[in-house]
Amino acid sequence: MSSNTYAFVATIFSLLFATANAVVEDSFPGNAWRAVGSSFSSMVEVSSYSPRVPFWQKATRQSDVLNGTQESWWTSSPFSSSSSSSSPVNPFRNFNAWVNSFIFPESFTSYLVASLGPDAAHYVLCYMRNFVSGCIIYYATAGFFHYRNYVVDKENLFSSGKRKKPTTATIMNQIKLAQTSLFLYVALPVFSDWLIEEGFTMCYYDISEIGGFPTYLAITLFYFTCVEIGIYWMHRTLHENKFLYKYVHAQHHAYNTPETLTPWASIAFNPLDGILQASPYVFWLLFIPCHYLTHVLMVFCTAIWATYIHDTMDGDVEPIMSNKYHTVHHTHYIYNYGQIFIFCDWYWGTLKKPAGPTGTGLKRKTK
């Protein structure tokens, strides 16, 4: 495995675990950022929040909470407010509103609040933010891998003639499809934020709520394992269910040869396809505690990873499922359904490692 690939993987995981140290006072970013009477303040203050006690804490802590002798895990410092308000500030809503305040001017926000009300205005802003950030992430990451593969390494990769360079028409087709899909695809994280902000999930904001770093790490690994399994079976179902394959997933598999796979193909799909494959990230939040910023970073890293695995290069990062495995998936259809790791495909017998360079030796297998 190249040093650059090792560095990339190490950076992703260091960023992921760095969010565990986001131990903050008074629901970071706190309350001071909200000017009195601002539209963003009204969005935060109107929010309701009814979190739940983790099942392993109920037996030992719920009686203390009811008796008032001990704070519950959701009313410790991350959810406490220094104001005189009787209810704690919703940390998730507060964080999202804070991020939105850097993007949208007060005049536009006030117009939305007056027209739609604070709740609807908040989620409209979140949708718009997600759409813009989704476009930036897509073009930035795909552009980076495009420049690396087709400009910097052009002579090394394509001069022999064994590996064919994707045509401009193929790339433009993928960009158009991806851009169209983004309009609906970015609605999933908005729905996820609504579930989290309204207390329907087991998300938490500060690792002190879950018992510290060791517990955070164990539960996060369990959550991510469940997500991996969920994505594997969702992806596999999209292939094995004839209706779903024909009307949802087949569009993405129009890119079924190495020369038609590019970084721009990462989200060139039916938006329902992307929503279904990403849904385990949201579904498991209903049952498994997950640090909020870690969850956000996981979704962000997944977007980058999706770009990486579609570039038909030959990264060796086992047990991580690198781009060479996903190229085999596109050329052979019935193998390598996993997202990040190969363990699901290994366990359920669908793992196929390419015998040689994926860009030169793979032939498309008819579906």
Side-chain angles (χ1 to χ4, degrees):
M1 183 174 72
S2 69
S3 59
N4 288 338
T5 305
Y6 271 121
F8 173 76
V9 174
T11 299
I12 293 299
F13 279 95
S14 64
L15 285 172
L16 179 63
F17 292 122
T19 62
N21 294 318
V23 180
V24 295
E25 293 293 334
D26 199 26
S27 299
F28 174 83
N31 301 322
W33 72 271
R34 300 195 311 272
V36 177
S38 73
S39 300
F40 289 106
S41 182
S42 67
M43 291 178 187
V44 175
E45 292 169 359
V46 76
S47 176
S48 60
Y49 185 58
S50 302
R52 297 176 290 185
V53 178
F55 67 87
W56 65 86
Q57 293 185 0
K58 281 186 177 180
T60 59
R61 301 189 69 181
Q62 192 154 336
S63 60
D64 291 334
V65 172
L66 294 175
N67 293 332
T69 59
Q70 183 175 324
E71 287 187 325
S72 70
W73 75 296
W74 67 82
T75 57
S76 55
S77 62
F79 298 106
S80 299
S81 172
S82 59
S83 68
S84 59
S85 173
S86 59
S87 59
V89 169
N90 186 321
F92 313 111
R93 173 72 70 98
N94 191 49
F95 176 81
N96 277 313
W98 175 69
V99 172
N100 291 342
S101 71
F102 289 96
I103 304 172
F104 304 102
E106 172 64 25
S107 57
F108 178 66
T109 305
S110 298
Y111 171 77
L112 285 182
V113 170
S115 302
L116 305 174
D119 269 324
H122 172 71
Y123 291 113
V124 168
L125 292 179
C126 287
Y127 170 82
M128 296 173 67
R129 177 199 69 197
N130 290 349
F131 178 75
V132 172
S133 60
C135 290
I136 292 173
I137 293 169
Y138 172 68
Y139 287 104
T141 56
F144 169 80
F145 285 108
H146 179 108
Y147 179 75
R148 188 196 68 174
N149 296 338
Y150 308 140
V151 179
V152 176
D153 292 339
K154 178 181 178 180
E155 291 299 320
N156 181 46
L157 293 173
F158 304 107
S159 61
S160 68
K162 294 181 179 180
R163 180 187 289 267
K164 295 181 180 179
K165 185 179 179 182
T167 64
T168 301
T170 296
I171 292 174
M172 291 305 301
N173 172 270
Q174 293 168 355
I175 291 175
K176 290 177 182 178
L177 179 56
Q179 184 63 71
T180 303
S181 298
L182 271 169
F183 283 99
L184 184 58
Y185 184 47
V186 297
L188 179 63
V190 178
F191 177 63
S192 174
D193 277 335
W194 178 79
L195 290 174
I196 292 168
E197 291 177 7
E198 294 300 317
F200 293 111
T201 72
M202 299 295 287
C203 247
Y204 59 95
Y205 199 77
D206 189 310
I207 64 169
S208 64
E209 303 163 63
I210 207 71
F213 184 80
T215 306
Y216 157 82
L217 184 60
I219 298 299
T220 299
L221 290 175
F222 178 63
Y223 167 77
F224 189 72
T225 299
C226 290
V227 168
E228 278 285 301
I229 294 172
I231 291 175
Y232 170 86
W233 279 107
M234 179 60 73
H235 192 182
R236 184 169 174 173
T237 300
L238 285 167
H239 277 262
E240 295 182 348
N241 182 291
K242 293 182 179 180
F243 178 86
L244 290 176
Y245 183 83
K246 180 178 181 180
Y247 294 103
V248 178
H249 195 52
Q251 190 172 30
H252 185 61
H253 274 273
Y255 315 115
N256 51 24
T257 59
E259 60 268 23
T260 60
L261 278 172
T262 81
W264 303 98
S266 60
I267 55 172
F269 48 36
N270 183 320
L272 181 58
D273 186 356
I275 289 172
L276 287 173
Q277 290 197 61
S279 63
Y281 279 105
V282 180
F283 174 78
W284 287 115
L285 288 178
L286 301 174
F287 307 102
I288 305 172
C290 185
H291 182 242
Y292 178 65
L293 297 182
T294 300
H295 166 72
V296 172
L297 189 55
M298 281 184 184
V299 175
F300 172 78
C301 292
T302 297
I304 298 176
W305 191 258
T307 306
Y308 163 71
I309 63 176
H310 283 89
D311 71 354
T312 68
M313 299 299 115
D314 296 302
D316 296 313
V317 289
E318 287 85 352
I320 296 175
M321 181 166 286
S322 63
N323 39 12
K324 66 181 181 181
Y325 286 97
H326 200 70
T327 301
V328 171
H329 172 73
H330 272 264
T331 58
H332 288 66
Y333 299 99
I334 59 174
Y335 303 107
N336 304 346
Y337 299 108
Q339 179 197 205
I340 304 292
F341 293 99
I342 65 175
F343 74 85
C344 285
D345 286 285
W346 169 80
Y347 184 81
W348 280 291
T350 55
L351 182 67
K352 183 176 180 65
K353 184 175 181 178
T358 58
T360 60
L362 288 178
K363 301 296 183 182
R364 181 173 68 88
K365 180 177 179 179
T366 304
K367 176 72 172 180

